Amino acid sequence: MIEIRVLGPIQGFRDGERVDLGGPTQRRLLAALVARPGETVSVTTLLEDLWGEDPPPSGPQSIQSYVSRLRSTLGSHVIETRAPGYRLGSDGLQVDGFEFLELSKNLPEDPAARLDAIDQALDLWAGPAFEGFDNVDFAVRRLDETRLTLEEERAHLLADSGRGAEALAVLERITSVERLRESAWLALARVLSRSGRQAEAVRKLDRYRESLADIGLEPGPDFARAQDEVFDSPRPPAPTPLPHVETSFVGRERELRDLYSLLEKHRLVTVTGPGGMGKSRLAIEALRDWHVLPLSVARLASLRSGSEVSPTVLTAVGGEARGDPLEAVVARISRTPTLLLLDNAEHVVEAAADLASVLLARTEERVLVTAREPLNVSGEMVLTLDSLSPEAAIALYRDRARQVFPAFEAPE
């Protein structure tokens, strides 16, 4: 199997092993062919792609040499000779850009399955498409637009499923880069409004309108509709910081006492252990009876990068996005101290550690973290969860079985 990756630096793999695609001009030729799947690219077009308006006299012979080397590296079937030039083959060839576009066109209707499929598609990206190659801008634009569309839909699905903080982090990231992308700004304003943050939503719309005015443009009719929605939408009740849990808490009573004791004495506590050990559930139970400080919960499981941690925490603590989100978190917490739960931080552990360090140094914040590994921050106390004891595991099994079959009786 031959694999070519273009969602990031161009790379080639043969039967799972990375291969050398040659120098910049040779890789530029490969990019030109991959960017035009199913199309025969003439030698004339390739000359312009590789050398611009002034190709060398030996250009056609150089192209033939590059094709020969790529065939030797990737397989003779990967590049076909077709008059008046060359075409990318399809048999036994996998290209992440093609896979991404195919996934984006065949999303399931069910919201949860659709969100999973979007995540799967976005996970294919490892950097800017065709990174470093300006000769295929037309292909880059198509891939980038599809990615942004999926990111926006992902934000809508997150918001609709009650994960507003994660949706806001996605939209804040898009609008920070795509200053004139109206659909993202309007989505951001709507999600803020649904979260009861109408004033901030209005400021976002004003900021977008000012960006347009700077280049002599006016917002379209969708902008006016979004503005009306923001002004007309009622403020929702304050969200409950801890999720409702249907099942009873069994088997971690000792660890619960230990965690509560650590939280009373220390400002940063991390609950660690392998996946499935019940770290999040233990944290929720410890905080359920917490009356010392208000609670804020930042769920980090679905974040795609560490850059989303501070915006997600800012939303969780009820702050307003003005400038640097970390500075806004510090400002908000300095006014209203809370106990902050950073839940499922293992895949953004460095960013979570940086944020926790700043909060410990500049505020009176208490931070509880669940992750598969410690943050390794000065002052951190770690509670590691091991497997349940046999007695606790049996008690948990009986409890869960009785929730499904109330008459269940297990032998002692």
Side-chain angles (χ1 to χ4, degrees):
M1 169 63 72
I2 303 300
E3 180 186 1
I4 298 174
R5 298 180 187 175
V6 297
L7 300 181
I10 294 182
Q11 298 176 318
F13 295 83
R14 188 167 186 168
D15 296 328
E17 296 290 330
R18 185 171 174 178
V19 297
D20 184 3
L21 295 178
T25 307
Q26 186 167 300
R27 286 183 285 121
R28 194 176 181 89
L29 169 65
L30 180 61
L33 296 175
V34 174
R36 301 173 174 90
E39 178 183 340
T40 297
V41 186
S42 70
V43 171
T44 301
T45 299
L46 291 174
L47 287 170
E48 184 176 349
D49 270 1
L50 271 57
W51 292 287
E53 297 180 355
D54 188 25
S58 61
Q61 291 76 24
S62 296
I63 289 175
Q64 188 175 18
S65 176
Y66 293 146
V67 169
S68 178
R69 294 175 196 171
L70 288 169
R71 283 171 173 166
S72 176
T73 300
L74 297 172
S76 59
H77 63 288
V78 172
I79 300 178
E80 302 173 354
T81 300
R82 297 289 180 93
Y86 301 93
R87 185 176 74 174
L88 189 73
S90 57
D91 293 340
L93 176 63
Q94 182 177 329
V95 180
D96 58 355
F98 302 169
E99 182 183 358
F100 170 73
L101 293 173
E102 190 64 25
L103 285 170
S104 71
K105 291 188 295 185
N106 296 284
L107 298 174
E109 293 296 329
D110 176 74
R114 194 175 184 89
L115 181 58
D116 287 342
I118 289 175
D119 284 339
Q120 180 185 351
L122 294 174
D123 283 342
L124 293 172
W125 287 70
F130 291 94
E131 187 172 359
F133 293 93
D134 58 2
N135 60 318
V136 290
D137 285 348
F138 60 94
V140 171
R141 286 193 295 271
R142 181 187 180 194
L143 289 165
D144 282 347
E145 176 59 32
T146 304
R147 177 180 58 83
L148 287 169
T149 299
L150 289 188
E151 289 271 19
E152 288 181 21
E153 182 165 2
R154 179 172 181 265
H156 285 296
L157 291 168
L158 288 170
D160 290 345
S161 63
R163 296 156 65 182
E166 298 166 52
L168 288 174
V170 172
L171 294 168
E172 289 279 11
R173 186 180 69 244
I174 295 174
T175 54
S176 68
V177 178
E178 301 290 330
R179 304 292 297 173
L180 301 179
R181 190 173 180 84
E182 181 169 291
S183 56
W185 283 101
L186 300 189
L188 176 59
R190 287 180 172 119
V191 175
L192 285 168
S193 180
R194 287 170 56 179
S195 303
R197 297 161 63 180
Q198 279 86 351
E200 190 174 351
V202 170
R203 283 195 293 272
K204 295 293 185 183
L205 292 176
D206 287 344
R207 185 182 302 175
Y208 169 65
R209 181 168 48 195
E210 291 166 1
S211 296
L212 287 180
D214 288 342
I215 57 174
L217 296 178
E218 292 287 339
D222 288 343
F223 179 90
R225 285 193 290 270
Q227 199 167 40
D228 289 342
E229 291 176 25
V230 168
F231 284 117
D232 293 342
S233 58
R235 292 181 178 270
T240 302
L242 295 176
H244 175 69
V245 181
E246 297 288 347
T247 57
S248 56
F249 184 71
V250 178
R252 294 288 189 189
E253 290 77 10
R254 177 180 59 79
E255 291 90 341
L256 181 60
R257 291 192 297 271
D258 291 344
L259 179 55
Y260 206 90
S261 177
L262 288 172
L263 286 172
E264 289 180 325
K265 299 175 183 176
H266 303 279
R267 291 180 55 209
L268 175 61
V269 179
T270 301
V271 181
T272 67
M277 281 291 174
K279 300 182 291 295
S280 295
R281 181 61 188 275
L282 180 67
I284 290 170
E285 292 302 319
L287 299 183
R288 197 171 297 284
D289 296 323
W290 184 265
H291 301 296
V292 180
L293 290 170
L295 301 176
S296 298
V297 179
R299 298 180 178 87
L300 310 182
S302 67
L303 301 191
R304 304 188 60 80
S305 71
S307 64
E308 298 179 19
V309 170
S310 291
T312 300
V313 171
L314 180 60
T315 300
V317 300
E320 296 184 355
R322 294 178 178 176
D324 182 4
L326 179 55
E327 291 298 320
V329 169
V330 171
R332 171 65 177 176
I333 289 173
S334 297
R335 295 194 304 270
T336 309
T338 69
L339 191 155
L340 173 64
L341 170 60
L342 301 179
D343 194 25
N344 291 304
E346 49 270 353
H347 62 300
V348 288
V349 68
E350 292 185 5
D354 291 342
L355 181 138
S357 296
V358 170
L359 294 183
L360 291 182
R362 299 175 55 188
T363 74
E364 298 300 318
E365 182 79 337
R366 291 175 183 265
V367 182
L368 173 60
V369 182
T370 67
R372 297 185 184 183
E373 59 182 297
L375 302 188
N376 293 319
V377 170
S378 178
E380 177 185 32
M381 299 299 294
V382 178
L383 176 63
T384 301
L385 296 190
D386 296 318
S387 300
L388 290 171
S389 67
E391 297 79 8
I394 292 171
L396 179 63
Y397 172 77
R398 287 175 176 157
D399 178 81
R400 297 298 186 261
R402 286 174 183 146
Q403 289 181 358
V404 180
F405 304 105
F408 174 82
E409 292 293 338
E412 296 294 335

